[in-house]
C-alpha cells in the first residue's frame, strides 16, 4: 500500500456554499437523505475483497464498523489499519480520518471523496465519519445491506465528491413499545435502519396505560404486574403477535441489562436514546402495580383498548413523588443522554377534580385549575430532573397551566411556535406530518387496519420543521423533527416496518437535507431505488404508489 501526502483543498468552507445538487448526474445514486453538496466525478472505485481500510487511531472503531458491513455482504477480509498518521492519505484503499477535516463540517458533517483509486472520508468527529460511512454504503450496490455474502455483484463505488452537514440536530423516531412489546432484537433492527438514514435520536416510549416495559429494581411489580395484560387487545388476532409470556399473559419488558445493551447498540450508531416515562396520565400500568400512588378510591387495571383513560398519579400524596424520583433515578443510570421525556399529554383531569386532597393542594399552592396542578406537578419533577443534570422533555400539553422553566416541548398538537418564541427548545412532531400510525391510503380495504388519519409519503416530505411565522431569531430553538409510531393497531415488527418505510426516509430527508434541496419528484425516484436496500436487509415497506394513486 502506497502512502501519499494529500490534503483537502485549503480554505474549503461548506457554509459559504449554497446547496449545489447536480441532479442530472447523480440520479442513479439514490442517496437518502440527499447530501448538501454532491458532484459526480468520472469513473468509479472498484471495491475488492482485499481492499484495505485505513484510519487514524481514534477512528479505528468507525473503520471497523464499515469493515464489518463489507465483510458481511461482500465477504473478504477488509483489514482495518488504525495507524495512519494525521495528514496522510492513501491510494488504493479507503481512508477514514478526522485529520485535516474542515471544522465547518461541525459535529455531524463529513466530506467524502471517491476517485478511481481511493475513498477518503474526513470529518471533525466520529459521528461525521460514521455518516460518511453511511453515504458510502448507499453508493455501493444495494446488496451491500445484506446480512449474508452476496455473490456475483460488481462492488463499484461511483466517483463523487460530497460535502454534507445536517440541517437539524434532532432527527428522530419514536417507537411505542407499551401498546405492543417489541423485543430487544427487533428494537436493534430498527436502530440499524435509522442509522442508514442518519437519524440520531431514538425516542423509546417505554410506559403507558397498556404496559410498563422497563425493569425498575426498587419496584419489581412494575414489570411483574405492569408488563402483562390479558390478551393482545385492540380487537387484534391472538396470532398477530408472539409476545406472550410462559403463563400465556401478553406483554414483556426489558431488563436493565437489555436496556444497557440497546443503549450501547444505539451509541455505536451515533443514536441517542431518549426514554419516555409517562406522567401524570397514561399511567394505568404503573398504577395497576402500585395503586397507592393513584388518587384514593379508584381501581386500576391494565386496559386492552386505547384512548384517553382515567388513571393518573396522585399529586397530593408525597409518596407519589418519592416513587417517581426513585424510578427516574434508576432510569438516569441507564440512559446517558441529556433528555428525559416525561410525557404530560392527554391527562384526564376528572379524578383530580373529584379528589378532596387534590383540591386542598390546589388551594394551598394557589393553583387556579387542574391545568395549573399539572404544571405544578411537572415543575416539581423538573427540579429533580435538573438536579440530576438532565433536561425535561414533554408533549404539547406541558405548556398548559405554564410550562416548566427549562423544559423542551415536543409539539404534536401545537404550541411549538409559541414555546420557541418564548425561548424553549422544541422538537416538531405535528400529527399531520409525523404520525406514522396514520393510514397511507384513503382506500382502507387495501391497507392493514390503522388508527385513522391519512398521511401519505408526500405529506411527510412536505414537513418544514420550522413553524410558519416563527421569527428568524427563534429558529435555533427548533431542534428538529421526528416520526412517531404509536402501536395500538401494530402488534408486530413486520407491520411496524410497513408503517415506517418509506415515510421515515422522508422524515430523515426533511430533517437532514437543506430546505433548498427538497424536491418531491426527485425524492420519489430515490425512494424506489432505496427499496432494493430495504429488500437486501429484509425490511418490510410500503411500495410508494403516489403516481398510480393520483
Ligand atoms: C400523543 O400522541 N398523545 C402525544
Amino acid at each position: 500500500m502506497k502512502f501519499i501526502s494529500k490534503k483537502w483543498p485549503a480554505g474549503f468552507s461548506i457554509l459559504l456554499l449554497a446547496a449545489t445538487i447536480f441532479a442530472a448526474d447523480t440520479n442513479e445514486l439514490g442517496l437518502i437523505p440527499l447530501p448538501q453538496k454532491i458532484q459526480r466525478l468520472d469513473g468509479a472505485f472498484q471495491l475488492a475483497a482485499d481492499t484495505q481500510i485505513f484510519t487514524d487511531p481514534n477512528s479505528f472503531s468507525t473503520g471497523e464498523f464499515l469493515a464489518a458491513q463489507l465483510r458481511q455482504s461482500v465477504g473478504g477480509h477488509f483489514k482495518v489499519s488504525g495507524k495512519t498518521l494525521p495528514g496522510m492519505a492513501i491510494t488504493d484503499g479507503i481512508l477514514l480520518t478526522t485529520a485535516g477535516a474542515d471544522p465547518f463540517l461541525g459535529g455531524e458533517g463529513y466530506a467524502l471523496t471517491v476517485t478511481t483509486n481511493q475513498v477518503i472520508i474526513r470529518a471533525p468527529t466520529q459521528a461525521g465519519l460514521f455518516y460518511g460511512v453511511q453515504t458510502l454504503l448507499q453508493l455501493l450496490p444495494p446488496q451491500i445491506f445484506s446480512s449474508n455474502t452476496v455473490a456475483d455483484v460488481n462492488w463499484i463505488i461511483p466517483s463523487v465528491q460530497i460535502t454534507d452537514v445536517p440541517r437539524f440536530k434532532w432527527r428522530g423516531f419514536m417507537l411505542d413499545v407499551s401498546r405492543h412489546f417489541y423485543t430487544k432484537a427487533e428494537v436493534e433492527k430498527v436502530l440499524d435502519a435509522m442509522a442508514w438514514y442518519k437519524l440520531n435520536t431514538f425516542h423509546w416510549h417505554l410506559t403507558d396505560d397498556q404496559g410498563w416495559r422497563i425493569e425498575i429494581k426498587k419496584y419489581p411489580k412494575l414489570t411483574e404486574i405492569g408488563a402483562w395484560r390479558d390478551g393482545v387487545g385492540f380487537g387484534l388476532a391472538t396470532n398477530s403477535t408472539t409476545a406472550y409470556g410462559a403463563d400465556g399473559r401478553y406483554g414483556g419488558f426489558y431488563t436493565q441489562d437489555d436496556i444497557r445493551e440497546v443503549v450501547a447498540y444505539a451509541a455505536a450508531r451515533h443514536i441517542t436514546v431518549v426514554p419516555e416515562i409517562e406522567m401524570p396520565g397514561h399511567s394505568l400500568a404503573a398504577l395497576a402495580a402500585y395503586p397507592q400512588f393513584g388518587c384514593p378510591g379508584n381501581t386500576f387495571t391494565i386496559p386492552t383498548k386505547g384512548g384517553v383513560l382515567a388513571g393518573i398519579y396522585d399529586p397530593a400524596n408525597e409518596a407519589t413523588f418519592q416513587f417517581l424520583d426513585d424510578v427516574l433515578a434508576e432510569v438516569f443510570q441507564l440512559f446517558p443522554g441529556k433528555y428525559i421525556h416525561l410525557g404530560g399529554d392527554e391527562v384526564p383531569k376528572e379524578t383530580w377534580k373529584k379528589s378532596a386532597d387534590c383540591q386542598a393542594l390546589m388551594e394551598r399552592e394557589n393553583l387556579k385549575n387542574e391545568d395549573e396542578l399539572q404544571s405544578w406537578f411537572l415543575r416539581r419533577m423538573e427540579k429533580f430532573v435538573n438536579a440530576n443534570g438532565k433536561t425535561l422533555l414533554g408533549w404539547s400539553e406541558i405548556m398548559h397551566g405554564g410550562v416548566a422553566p427549562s423544559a423542551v416541548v415536543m409539539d404534536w398538537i401545537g404550541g411549538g411556535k409559541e414555546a420557541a418564541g418564548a425561548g424553549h427548545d422544541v422538537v416538531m412532531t405535528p400529527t399531520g406530518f409525523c404520525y406514522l400510525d396514520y393510514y397511507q391510503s384513503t382506500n382502507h380495504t387495501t391497507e392493514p387496519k390503522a388508527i385513522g388519519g391519512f398521511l401519505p409519503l408526500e405529506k411527510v416530505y412536505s414537513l418544514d420543521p420550522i413553524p410558519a411565522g416563527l421569527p428568524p431569531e427563534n429558529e435555533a430553538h427548533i431542534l428538529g423533527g421526528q416520526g412517531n409510531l404509536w402501536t395500538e393497531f401494530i402488534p408486530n415488527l413486520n407491520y411496524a416496518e410497513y408503517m415506517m418505510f418509506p415515510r421515515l426516509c422522508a422524515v430523515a430527508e426533511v430533517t437532514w437535507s437543506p430546505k433548498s434541496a427538497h424536491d418531491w419528484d426527485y425524492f420519489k425516484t430515490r425512494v424506489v431505488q432505496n427499496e432494493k436496500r430495504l429488500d437486501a436487509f429484509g425490511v418490510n415497506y410500503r411500495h410508494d404508489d403516489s403516481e398510480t394513486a393520483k
Side-chain angles (χ1 to χ4, degrees), residues 276 278 282 345-346 395-397 410 412 431 435 484 486:
E276 182 177 355
E278 273 266 17
H282 285 287
D345 59 317
E346 299 181 315
W395 297 108
S396 293
E397 294 95 318
M410 187 167 270
W412 71 291
T431 55
Y435 268 43
N484 292 339
W486 301 102

Side-chain angles (χ1 to χ4, degrees), residues 500-513:
M500 286 166 72
F501 298 104
R503 291 186 294 185
L504 196 55
C505 300
V507 173
E509 180 141 316
V510 298
T511 53
W512 177 283
S513 308

Side-chain angles (χ1 to χ4, degrees), residues 148-356:
N148 303 310
T149 311
V150 190
D152 301 326
V153 177
N154 185 15
W155 299 106
I156 57 163
I157 309 172
S159 296
V160 285
Q161 183 155 321
I162 291 174
T163 50
D164 203 7
V165 289
R167 182 175 175 211
F168 291 102
K169 55 181 165 228
W170 185 298
R171 305 179 302 278
F173 172 63
M174 187 213 77
L175 181 65
D176 165 12
V177 296
S178 173
R179 274 50 182 264
H180 297 284
F181 180 67
Y182 292 83
T183 65
K184 181 178 60 176
E186 290 172 330
V187 170
E188 289 177 355
K189 188 178 177 202
V190 167
L191 293 168
D192 282 333
M194 284 178 66
W196 304 333
Y197 305 108
K198 304 183 176 72
L199 294 166
N200 67 355
T201 308
F202 177 56
H203 170 177
W204 208 357
H205 186 77
L206 286 163
T207 74
D208 211 304
D209 295 316
Q210 293 82 2
W212 180 283
R213 306 293 178 209
I214 172 171
E215 178 190 29
I216 301 295
K217 304 252 190 221
K218 195 159 183 184
Y219 298 97
K221 284 194 282 187
L222 283 172
T223 44
E224 284 166 12
I225 294 173
W228 307 97
R229 62 179 190 250
D230 290 334
V232 58
F234 296 98
L236 297 166
T238 309
N239 66 358
S240 61
T241 164
T242 55
Y244 294 96
D247 60 1
R249 287 186 303 167
Y250 178 65
F253 66 93
Y254 311 102
T255 65
Q256 295 201 349
D257 282 345
D258 290 338
I259 300 267
R260 277 188 209 95
E261 186 186 312
V262 169
V263 167
Y265 195 91
R269 287 153 185 76
H270 296 274
I271 295 170
T272 301
V273 185
V274 176
E276 182 177 355
I277 307 294
E278 273 266 17
M279 63 187 73
H282 285 287
S283 300
L284 273 171
L287 292 171
Y290 293 97
Q292 63 268 42
F293 304 127
C295 293
N298 294 284
T299 53
F300 308 103
T301 49
I302 301 183
T304 51
K305 64 175 176 105
V308 178
L309 304 168
I312 58 179
Y313 290 116
D314 179 6
N317 179 4
E318 264 308 299
T320 303
F321 291 100
Q322 189 60 52
F323 165 75
L324 292 172
D325 290 356
D326 288 344
V327 167
L328 291 189
E330 291 194 33
V331 171
F332 294 152
Q333 292 303 311
L334 297 168
F335 296 91
K338 165 176 168 191
Y339 296 105
I340 173 79
H341 202 309
L342 296 188
D345 59 317
E346 299 181 315
V347 181
K349 311 259 172 45
E350 281 310 305
T351 314
W352 287 350
K353 279 199 178 112
K354 288 193 210 130
S355 156

